[in-house]
Amino acid sequence: MNEYEVYIEEINPCGGSQHAKKSIIEVETESPQTYVKENGRFPIIEINKNANSDEVIITGDGNGYYIRYTFSE
């Protein structure tokens, strides 16, 4: 299992990214995708890498609610 620091941003349609609820947690998981599939509230919409090669997973409900998970080893 790998250990990750996860930065979570919960974005709602009214506030957008600037008013997102933000938190940081530490998790042990086989892969970031597995963690989000098992523990996320919404289905995965997009998977990317940022400039630091961290994995960024975006989930959402299709109505403007998004949760962005950034996994750093």
Side-chain angles (χ1 to χ4, degrees):
M1 290 222 186
N2 298 323
E3 193 170 309
Y4 297 94
E5 181 178 274
V6 186
Y7 179 59
I8 303 170
E9 300 169 273
E10 295 183 41
I11 304 163
N12 68 51
C14 296
S17 293
Q18 63 187 7
H19 296 290
K21 179 181 169 190
K22 301 169 184 171
S23 59
I24 298 174
I25 61 171
E26 291 188 14
V27 299
E28 279 189 34
T29 184
E30 292 294 323
S31 75
Q33 294 145 7
T34 301
Y35 177 81
V36 172
K37 284 180 184 175
E38 292 176 355
N39 298 289
R41 204 174 358 163
F42 303 124
I44 294 174
I45 296 173
E46 191 176 312
I47 300 171
N48 295 309
K49 294 248 184 212
N50 66 14
N52 296 328
S53 296
D54 298 330
E55 189 154 347
V56 180
I57 300 176
I58 300 171
T59 67
D61 69 352
N63 293 316
Y65 290 92
Y66 295 96
I67 301 178
R68 181 175 20 218
Y69 302 85
T70 303
F71 287 81
S72 304
E73 283 196 66

